[in-house]
Structures are given as structure tokens and as C-alpha cells.
Amino acid sequence: MIFFYAALLVGVAALLAVARLILGPSVPDRVVALDTLNTLVVAAMVLLGAAYSRTIYIDIAIVYALLSYIGTLVIARYLQGGLM
Amino acid sequence: MNDMGLIVRTLARATIPLIGIFGAYIVSHGHLTPGGGFQGGATIAGAGILFLIAFGLEEAKKRINKNLYSALEGIGGLVFLGAAMLGLSVAFFYNLLWHKGPILNGHPGSLLSAGYLPIMNLAVGLKVFTGLVSALMAIALYRRWQK
């Protein structure tokens, strides 16, 4: 049960990150908010995998962590002006 | 500015094999854990995207052979069709390897079980990986806005 409360706290933090994602005045603000949101989603996935006591759910968290890193990198690559 | 900085390139050298091995794990354990051919293939294609982003288009053009990737995508589809036609003496998509096969008929839950499903997962993973990498290379090579 403690893992559900921890996941709820992570959800509250994710809501704050979503608020910055909506309100952010500039584009890099939104990118940082998205990166924070990705990390929080990974944390929530691990906590919910522990809450439902399924070890195979951790695989999805690993895949999401790797692919969200690539997504952030693509946006950064676009923002720095270095097109392909 | 054709590639990213030193930190990103060094991190990509460490991360690309990790993503590739994890994608191969997802593909090969498609009948036991969540995931399968499409998910694992898309994960390995993420490694290809990371290579393209971190090392630039010129390096990727030298390493990625268009004809090889096109041929491998076709081979993936043909292997899927061939595995589907193995038990054609009974029915289409009849799992002959599971019912009376020499291998891949182990105890359910082990890696060498489930008949033709691992072969089909490998075929779909190969097809999805090569298809996505080819599509992204074609999009990256387009560059019509500079003319």
C-alpha cells in the first residue's frame, strides 16, 4: 500500500510539471518540463510495478527511460539549430 | 554543425549497445514477457535514431546501406510468411513446430517453447527495425528547404 501513496506523490509532482508544460513562456521551459515529466513517469512506473508486485513491469520503465532520453535529445538537436 | 557535442557522442557510444541488447531481449522474449516483434524492433530503431542524431547524417550515410536494409526488410516479411506456411498440410498458420517439432517445443514458460512464435517475433523485429531506420534515413536525407 505504501507504494500506491508514493506513486500518488509522484503523480502530484507530475501535475506540477504539466502545469509548467502548459504555462511555460518559452520553448526551453517546456522542454525541461517534458524531461522532468519523463523522469517522473519512469519513477511512477517502477513504483506501480512494485505496488502490483509484477517484476515484468520494470522492463517497460527501462524502455521508456531509454526512449524518452532520445526524444529529449531530438528536441535539443532541433532547438540548437543543427538540422540534419 | 553536423553532429552533437563530445558528451552526447560519448554517451551514445555507451547507450547504443545497451538499447540494442535490450531491444534484442524484448524481441527474443516476446512470447514470455510484455513486448514482442514490433516493440523490440521499434526499441532497436531508437538506437538507430540515436546514432543518426548523435553522429550526424554524414556518418550515418556511410554506415547504413540502403540496399542491405531494403533486402533485410523483405527477408523479415518472407520469414514470417514461411513460418506461417510450415504447417500448410493441416492449415494456414498451423503451429507445426509446437505440435510435433524438433525444437521450440519445450516446457511452456521456457525460452525454446511456443513453436513458431519466436521465429515470427524475430522476423517482425527485423522488419520493423530495418523499415523504421530506412524511413528515418529517407526523411533525414530529404532536405528540400535548402534549395
Side-chain angles (χ1 to χ4, degrees):
Chain A
M1 203 61 208
I2 187 80
F3 290 114
F4 280 113
Y5 291 129
L8 192 68
L9 279 179
V10 171
V12 170
L15 276 181
L16 294 176
V18 167
R20 177 49 70 193
L21 191 67
I22 294 169
L23 294 174
S26 66
V27 176
D29 286 335
R30 295 174 205 266
V31 176
V32 173
L34 185 67
D35 202 20
T36 311
L37 194 60
N38 283 329
T39 311
L40 288 175
V41 166
V42 172
M45 280 180 182
V46 173
L47 285 172
L48 287 177
Y52 291 106
S53 61
R54 297 273 195 278
T55 46
I56 51 177
Y57 289 175
I58 309 298
D59 288 0
I60 293 111
I62 297 172
V63 171
Y64 190 84
L66 292 171
L67 293 186
S68 69
Y69 161 66
I70 295 174
T72 309
L73 206 58
V74 170
I75 300 174
R77 172 83 193 243
Y78 176 68
L79 287 182
Q80 81 171 2
L83 297 170
M84 282 298 161
Chain B
M1 197 184 294
N2 205 10
D3 56 353
M4 296 194 82
L6 180 65
I7 296 173
V8 174
R9 270 184 282 134
T10 309
L11 200 59
R13 278 197 194 94
T15 316
I16 287 174
L18 180 68
I19 300 178
I21 288 172
F22 202 79
Y25 158 73
I26 293 173
V27 171
S28 60
H29 287 72
H31 52 298
L32 302 175
T33 59
F38 184 83
Q39 288 85 356
T43 308
I44 306 175
I49 296 166
L50 181 58
F51 182 82
L52 181 64
I53 289 295
F55 293 98
L57 187 59
E58 296 301 318
E59 188 70 25
K61 246 194 291 189
K62 275 187 281 184
R63 300 292 175 91
I64 293 175
N65 187 355
K66 174 169 69 78
N67 294 326
L68 176 68
Y69 274 64
S70 181
L72 280 179
E73 191 186 357
I75 285 172
L78 283 179
V79 167
F80 189 91
L81 189 62
M85 293 177 82
L86 270 180
L88 204 59
S89 57
V90 181
F92 194 45
F93 276 100
Y94 180 70
N95 202 340
L96 193 71
L97 285 179
W98 169 248
H99 290 290
K100 42 177 84 68
I103 53 166
L104 294 172
N105 56 354
H107 192 262
S110 65
L111 186 60
L112 291 178
S113 65
Y116 60 27
L117 278 183
I119 301 171
M120 284 186 167
N121 274 327
L122 286 174
V124 173
L126 184 69
K127 188 169 170 58
V128 168
F129 163 62
T130 51
L132 282 179
V133 169
S134 304
L136 272 151
M137 277 299 289
I139 292 170
L141 283 166
Y142 190 52
R143 281 212 294 190
R144 217 172 116 185
W145 60 83
Q146 285 189 349
K147 289 178 186 156

mmCIF file of all heavy atoms in Angstrom, chain A residues 1-11 44 47-53:
data_model
loop_
_atom_site.group_PDB
_atom_site.id
_atom_site.type_symbol
_atom_site.label_atom_id
_atom_site.label_comp_id
_atom_site.label_asym_id
_atom_site.label_seq_id
_atom_site.Cartn_x
_atom_site.Cartn_y
_atom_site.Cartn_z
ATOM 1 N N MET A 1 0.821 -1.213 0.000
ATOM 2 C CA MET A 1 0.000 0.000 0.000
ATOM 3 C C MET A 1 0.851 1.258 0.000
ATOM 4 O O MET A 1 0.455 2.284 -0.552
ATOM 5 C CB MET A 1 -0.882 -0.035 1.249
ATOM 6 C CG MET A 1 -2.127 0.810 1.131
ATOM 7 S SD MET A 1 -3.187 0.257 -0.214
ATOM 8 C CE MET A 1 -3.971 1.789 -0.629
ATOM 9 N N ILE A 2 2.034 1.162 0.619
ATOM 10 C CA ILE A 2 2.911 2.344 0.685
ATOM 11 C C ILE A 2 3.348 2.771 -0.720
ATOM 12 O O ILE A 2 3.530 3.961 -0.990
ATOM 13 C CB ILE A 2 4.125 2.021 1.598
ATOM 14 C CG1 ILE A 2 4.982 3.260 1.847
ATOM 15 C CG2 ILE A 2 4.989 0.926 1.029
ATOM 16 C CD1 ILE A 2 4.441 4.144 2.867
ATOM 17 N N PHE A 3 3.442 1.788 -1.639
ATOM 18 C CA PHE A 3 3.887 2.133 -2.993
ATOM 19 C C PHE A 3 2.825 2.937 -3.729
ATOM 20 O O PHE A 3 3.146 3.804 -4.538
ATOM 21 C CB PHE A 3 4.227 0.863 -3.762
ATOM 22 C CG PHE A 3 5.463 0.183 -3.275
ATOM 23 C CD1 PHE A 3 5.393 -1.052 -2.680
ATOM 24 C CD2 PHE A 3 6.695 0.806 -3.396
ATOM 25 C CE1 PHE A 3 6.536 -1.683 -2.233
ATOM 26 C CE2 PHE A 3 7.837 0.192 -2.945
ATOM 27 C CZ PHE A 3 7.752 -1.053 -2.360
ATOM 28 N N PHE A 4 1.541 2.685 -3.427
ATOM 29 C CA PHE A 4 0.486 3.481 -4.062
ATOM 30 C C PHE A 4 0.550 4.936 -3.606
ATOM 31 O O PHE A 4 0.369 5.857 -4.411
ATOM 32 C CB PHE A 4 -0.880 2.897 -3.732
ATOM 33 C CG PHE A 4 -1.242 1.711 -4.564
ATOM 34 C CD1 PHE A 4 -1.348 0.458 -3.996
ATOM 35 C CD2 PHE A 4 -1.461 1.848 -5.922
ATOM 36 C CE1 PHE A 4 -1.671 -0.636 -4.766
ATOM 37 C CE2 PHE A 4 -1.787 0.760 -6.690
ATOM 38 C CZ PHE A 4 -1.889 -0.483 -6.112
ATOM 39 N N TYR A 5 0.822 5.148 -2.304
ATOM 40 C CA TYR A 5 0.946 6.531 -1.822
ATOM 41 C C TYR A 5 2.134 7.229 -2.466
ATOM 42 O O TYR A 5 2.053 8.415 -2.847
ATOM 43 C CB TYR A 5 1.076 6.542 -0.301
ATOM 44 C CG TYR A 5 -0.185 6.137 0.407
ATOM 45 C CD1 TYR A 5 -0.173 5.157 1.383
ATOM 46 C CD2 TYR A 5 -1.396 6.740 0.092
ATOM 47 C CE1 TYR A 5 -1.331 4.772 2.021
ATOM 48 C CE2 TYR A 5 -2.554 6.365 0.722
ATOM 49 C CZ TYR A 5 -2.530 5.374 1.695
ATOM 50 O OH TYR A 5 -3.672 4.992 2.311
ATOM 51 N N ALA A 6 3.247 6.495 -2.601
ATOM 52 C CA ALA A 6 4.422 7.090 -3.247
ATOM 53 C C ALA A 6 4.127 7.430 -4.703
ATOM 54 O O ALA A 6 4.487 8.505 -5.196
ATOM 55 C CB ALA A 6 5.605 6.127 -3.152
ATOM 56 N N ALA A 7 3.400 6.530 -5.381
ATOM 57 C CA ALA A 7 3.021 6.814 -6.768
ATOM 58 C C ALA A 7 2.078 8.009 -6.850
ATOM 59 O O ALA A 7 2.134 8.802 -7.790
ATOM 60 C CB ALA A 7 2.374 5.582 -7.395
ATOM 61 N N LEU A 8 1.214 8.153 -5.826
ATOM 62 C CA LEU A 8 0.315 9.318 -5.795
ATOM 63 C C LEU A 8 1.116 10.609 -5.648
ATOM 64 O O LEU A 8 0.821 11.614 -6.318
ATOM 65 C CB LEU A 8 -0.671 9.159 -4.642
ATOM 66 C CG LEU A 8 -1.859 10.124 -4.629
ATOM 67 C CD1 LEU A 8 -2.776 9.815 -5.778
ATOM 68 C CD2 LEU A 8 -2.605 10.018 -3.307
ATOM 69 N N LEU A 9 2.156 10.578 -4.793
ATOM 70 C CA LEU A 9 3.015 11.763 -4.649
ATOM 71 C C LEU A 9 3.716 12.082 -5.965
ATOM 72 O O LEU A 9 3.800 13.259 -6.361
ATOM 73 C CB LEU A 9 4.051 11.516 -3.547
ATOM 74 C CG LEU A 9 3.577 11.718 -2.118
ATOM 75 C CD1 LEU A 9 4.703 11.403 -1.162
ATOM 76 C CD2 LEU A 9 3.120 13.147 -1.932
ATOM 77 N N VAL A 10 4.204 11.056 -6.638
ATOM 78 C CA VAL A 10 4.848 11.276 -7.935
ATOM 79 C C VAL A 10 3.845 11.844 -8.932
ATOM 80 O O VAL A 10 4.172 12.714 -9.747
ATOM 81 C CB VAL A 10 5.475 9.955 -8.436
ATOM 82 C CG1 VAL A 10 5.964 10.097 -9.860
ATOM 83 C CG2 VAL A 10 6.630 9.569 -7.549
ATOM 84 N N GLY A 11 2.579 11.405 -8.823
ATOM 85 C CA GLY A 11 1.547 11.946 -9.701
ATOM 86 C C GLY A 11 1.286 13.419 -9.449
ATOM 87 O O GLY A 11 1.092 14.191 -10.390
ATOM 88 N N ALA A 44 7.117 6.617 -11.550
ATOM 89 C CA ALA A 44 5.776 6.097 -11.277
ATOM 90 C C ALA A 44 5.628 4.674 -11.790
ATOM 91 O O ALA A 44 4.977 3.830 -11.157
ATOM 92 C CB ALA A 44 4.732 7.014 -11.914
ATOM 93 N N LEU A 47 7.365 2.403 -9.317
ATOM 94 C CA LEU A 47 6.592 2.296 -8.069
ATOM 95 C C LEU A 47 5.328 1.467 -8.271
ATOM 96 O O LEU A 47 4.956 0.665 -7.404
ATOM 97 C CB LEU A 47 6.236 3.691 -7.572
ATOM 98 C CG LEU A 47 7.387 4.454 -6.929
ATOM 99 C CD1 LEU A 47 6.976 5.877 -6.653
ATOM 100 C CD2 LEU A 47 7.797 3.777 -5.648
ATOM 101 N N LEU A 48 4.669 1.637 -9.409
ATOM 102 C CA LEU A 48 3.457 0.845 -9.635
ATOM 103 C C LEU A 48 3.784 -0.620 -9.920
ATOM 104 O O LEU A 48 3.011 -1.515 -9.541
ATOM 105 C CB LEU A 48 2.657 1.443 -10.795
ATOM 106 C CG LEU A 48 1.951 2.752 -10.467
ATOM 107 C CD1 LEU A 48 1.258 3.304 -11.685
ATOM 108 C CD2 LEU A 48 0.950 2.547 -9.360
ATOM 109 N N GLY A 49 4.954 -0.868 -10.550
ATOM 110 C CA GLY A 49 5.392 -2.247 -10.698
ATOM 111 C C GLY A 49 5.637 -2.913 -9.359
ATOM 112 O O GLY A 49 5.354 -4.103 -9.184
ATOM 113 N N ALA A 50 6.157 -2.127 -8.386
ATOM 114 C CA ALA A 50 6.327 -2.670 -7.034
ATOM 115 C C ALA A 50 4.979 -2.813 -6.342
ATOM 116 O O ALA A 50 4.757 -3.767 -5.586
ATOM 117 C CB ALA A 50 7.252 -1.770 -6.225
ATOM 118 N N ALA A 51 4.047 -1.881 -6.622
ATOM 119 C CA ALA A 51 2.751 -1.925 -5.939
ATOM 120 C C ALA A 51 1.930 -3.127 -6.386
ATOM 121 O O ALA A 51 1.265 -3.766 -5.573
ATOM 122 C CB ALA A 51 1.997 -0.632 -6.201
ATOM 123 N N TYR A 52 1.990 -3.430 -7.704
ATOM 124 C CA TYR A 52 1.259 -4.590 -8.194
ATOM 125 C C TYR A 52 2.091 -5.862 -8.121
ATOM 126 O O TYR A 52 1.629 -6.907 -8.589
ATOM 127 C CB TYR A 52 0.801 -4.352 -9.636
ATOM 128 C CG TYR A 52 -0.275 -3.305 -9.752
ATOM 129 C CD1 TYR A 52 0.000 -2.055 -10.256
ATOM 130 C CD2 TYR A 52 -1.568 -3.581 -9.337
ATOM 131 C CE1 TYR A 52 -0.984 -1.088 -10.347
ATOM 132 C CE2 TYR A 52 -2.551 -2.630 -9.433
ATOM 133 C CZ TYR A 52 -2.253 -1.389 -9.926
ATOM 134 O OH TYR A 52 -3.226 -0.434 -10.021
ATOM 135 N N SER A 53 3.315 -5.759 -7.605
ATOM 136 C CA SER A 53 4.267 -6.875 -7.442
ATOM 137 C C SER A 53 4.407 -7.701 -8.717
ATOM 138 O O SER A 53 4.258 -8.913 -8.731
ATOM 139 C CB SER A 53 3.896 -7.766 -6.262
ATOM 140 O OG SER A 53 2.629 -8.335 -6.429
#
